[in-house]
Amino acid sequence: WGIILEPLSLPLCPNMAFRTLFENSNDVGVWSKLTNSYCLVTYAPSENFFSSFEAELGGHIPCIHASIAGTRCIGRMVAGNKNGLLVPSNTTDQELLHLRNSLPDSVVVQRVEERLSALGNVISSNDHVALCHVDLDRETEEIVADVLGVEVFRQTVAGNALVGSYSVFTNQGGLVHPKTSIEELEELSSLLQVPLVAGTVNRGSDVVGGGMVANDWIAFCGIDTTSTELSVVENVFKLHDAKPSNIVKDMRTALIDSFA
């Protein structure tokens, strides 16, 4: 009949939360950084950790090897979203150049002069809102708002100032420290405009920011994460209904509109 069938741009696997391991460490959020437009993964002698990200994300967003200030714990050193990436002032010129060359052109990479230099521990962000440590410099707060394109709120999570360590949230939902009170959950949820759940990863770890990474369609947790914890992650981050191809398409459309 002379009909040509175009291949459908569909994800290669069901969208959900995955378990992975970095050199016997469950702290996935320490060794990687995931957003809707890129994924950073630390260097390692074995490629298994990087491959677990590349296998699920490779067709949708770039997966990039990186180090920050000569350290491998990149997830705790940087803060970012689809619009930008903030790195501490001790990031080397070579590392900065590598990031700028590897990330999409739409992502702004900015060095930040900040006393609290482990930015991933003190800033937690999605594509619209960021929570930050109450003692963050005012200038840093302005850079976060400008580079990431977000509204910034100084907050604690269950009495902890390290908001990046004890919370993970996307544009779909979020997970916070298990001892977060109902009142605080409601307040944070109202600020972020996404549903939140107090919970754990990696078989009871309350350091959810260090234990997992997530974006709008996928999440990665440590290998010790229980099936119950994984189910909570999939539900609160709405991973069952997400389609990366649609989300990336929407982001591209929004980007084209902004330049129009």
Side-chain angles (χ1 to χ4, degrees):
W1 292 85
I3 297 171
I4 298 172
L5 296 177
E6 289 290 330
L8 291 173
S9 176
L10 291 175
L12 300 178
C13 56
N15 305 290
M16 60 179 80
F18 292 87
R19 296 183 181 103
T20 187
L21 192 66
F22 176 80
E23 295 183 356
N24 297 321
S25 168
N26 278 284
D27 298 323
V28 174
V30 171
W31 315 108
S32 61
K33 174 65 181 174
L34 175 61
T35 74
N36 283 332
S37 60
Y38 58 87
C39 178
L40 305 181
V41 183
T42 193
Y43 294 100
S46 163
E47 285 294 285
N48 292 348
F49 187 63
F50 182 83
S51 298
S52 63
F53 285 89
E54 178 112 285
E56 308 304 334
L57 299 169
H60 307 293
I61 58 175
C63 293
I64 301 155
H65 276 305
S67 65
I68 297 292
T71 70
R72 296 197 295 173
C73 49
I74 56 172
R76 300 300 85 207
M77 299 300 288
V78 304
N81 62 11
K82 75 177 176 71
N83 303 315
L85 179 69
L86 302 175
V87 300
S89 57
N90 52 355
T91 304
T92 68
D93 292 342
Q94 187 177 359
E95 289 167 339
L96 200 63
L97 187 63
H98 168 64
L99 288 169
R100 284 179 172 151
N101 288 339
S102 306
L103 288 168
D105 292 340
S106 58
V107 177
V108 179
V109 184
Q110 174 81 44
R111 262 201 196 114
V112 180
E113 294 282 344
E114 169 59 52
R115 181 178 55 87
L116 303 170
S117 60
L119 301 176
N121 286 337
V122 296
I123 300 165
S124 189
S125 172
N126 63 14
D127 295 334
H128 308 291
V129 186
L131 302 180
C132 73
H133 192 292
V134 291
D135 294 331
L136 205 70
D137 286 349
R138 185 67 59 188
E139 187 180 331
T140 304
E141 184 184 337
E142 290 170 4
I143 292 171
V144 171
D146 184 42
V147 173
L148 303 188
V150 294
E151 198 170 355
V152 185
F153 297 100
R154 292 174 183 264
Q155 283 288 326
T156 59
V157 176
N160 296 288
L162 298 177
V163 291
S165 303
Y166 295 105
S167 69
V168 180
F169 56 94
T170 66
N171 302 323
Q172 308 296 321
L175 188 69
V176 295
H177 191 288
K179 291 187 177 173
T180 307
S181 67
I182 304 262
E183 294 77 14
E184 192 176 359
L185 264 179
E186 288 175 352
E187 181 189 352
L188 289 172
S189 185
S190 174
L191 287 177
L192 303 175
Q193 293 293 296
V194 296
L196 296 177
V197 166
T200 60
V201 291
N202 301 330
R203 203 177 294 274
S205 169
D206 56 13
V207 189
V208 292
M212 67 168 289
V213 292
N215 68 11
D216 283 356
W217 70 84
I218 200 166
F220 296 86
C221 308
I223 207 96
D224 286 345
T225 300
T226 67
S227 56
T228 305
E229 289 172 332
L230 214 58
S231 176
V232 169
V233 166
E234 288 178 352
N235 287 325
V236 73
F237 289 104
K238 300 190 174 113
L239 300 180
H240 293 298
D241 348 307
K243 280 191 171 55
S245 49
N246 291 348
I247 292 168
V248 171
K249 184 179 173 185
D250 290 345
M251 285 164 49
R252 285 181 184 143
T253 305
L255 190 64
I256 290 165
D257 289 345
S258 70
F259 283 117

